[in-house]
Amino acid sequence: MPWIYALVGLLAGAVIGFIISRLTAPNYKKQKNIYKDLETAKFQLEQQKQELTDHFAQSAEMLDSLGKEYTKLYQHMAKTSSELLPNMPEQDNPFAQKVAEHNTAQHADDSLEDAPKDYASGATGLLREEKKEYLDSPGDVSEKKAS
């Protein structure tokens, strides 16, 4: 029976000694400080990412509004130039030319966006009953093999 008391005492002393050594050891404190620094750095990184996302979203909105305001200004200048100088020939009015070019370019862009870009116009030949037309070329592969 005294051996059991000695064994329990030894085990309890080892556990208490391990706990005290972990709390007083400089490496454990250093590790704890490094972990706190790591968590702080992670938090700051996430904050910075969020700030960058907000910045770019706000910048995109500002650029969009700037473009719209520029377009309004340009249209205003074109309108007032034709109203204030009605006798000016159209080729001498720089705004009239640019507005016409802008309108045609805008209509061309709109027509391109109507149809999906990954579809061919009409049947592609897979389900047609017509025979495909093959063009003979002087450098045909079958002629090169025969040569």
Side-chain angles (χ1 to χ4, degrees), residues 79-146:
K79 181 181 174 188
T80 55
S81 69
S82 63
E83 289 175 0
L84 295 175
L85 300 171
N87 297 332
M88 179 185 257
E90 195 169 310
Q91 66 268 12
D92 292 342
N93 188 350
F95 293 107
Q97 294 171 357
K98 295 293 183 181
V99 168
E101 290 173 10
H102 178 70
N103 288 339
T104 57
Q106 188 175 16
H107 291 300
D109 290 342
D110 290 343
S111 66
L112 290 177
E113 291 180 7
D114 290 342
K117 293 177 179 31
D118 59 341
Y119 293 133
S121 58
T124 60
L126 294 175
L127 301 176
R128 281 187 181 168
E129 297 200 17
E130 299 174 7
K131 293 200 172 208
K132 291 185 180 179
E133 182 180 331
Y134 294 103
L135 300 175
D136 292 327
S137 65
D140 193 12
V141 175
S142 59
E143 292 176 8
K144 288 182 180 177
K145 288 182 180 178

Side-chain angles (χ1 to χ4, degrees), residues 29-45:
K29 289 180 182 178
K30 186 178 180 182
Q31 181 183 6
K32 217 173 186 182
N33 288 337
I34 290 174
Y35 183 75
K36 284 181 184 178
D37 292 343
L38 176 65
E39 290 299 317
T40 303
K42 283 182 181 179
F43 178 73
Q44 288 175 347
L45 179 65

Side-chain angles (χ1 to χ4, degrees), residues 24-94:
T24 59
N27 288 339
Y28 180 72
K29 289 180 182 178
K30 186 178 180 182
Q31 181 183 6
K32 217 173 186 182
N33 288 337
I34 290 174
Y35 183 75
K36 284 181 184 178
D37 292 343
L38 176 65
E39 290 299 317
T40 303
K42 283 182 181 179
F43 178 73
Q44 288 175 347
L45 179 65
E46 288 300 317
Q47 259 187 330
Q48 189 176 21
K49 284 181 181 179
Q50 185 61 41
E51 288 175 3
L52 280 172
T53 303
D54 294 343
H55 168 74
F56 285 126
Q58 185 180 11
S59 297
E61 289 175 12
M62 292 169 74
L63 284 172
D64 185 45
S65 66
L66 179 68
K68 288 177 182 176
E69 291 298 319
Y70 176 75
T71 304
K72 282 183 188 177
L73 174 67
Y74 197 84
Q75 289 172 349
H76 171 73
M77 293 295 290
K79 181 181 174 188
T80 55
S81 69
S82 63
E83 289 175 0
L84 295 175
L85 300 171
N87 297 332
M88 179 185 257
E90 195 169 310
Q91 66 268 12
D92 292 342
N93 188 350

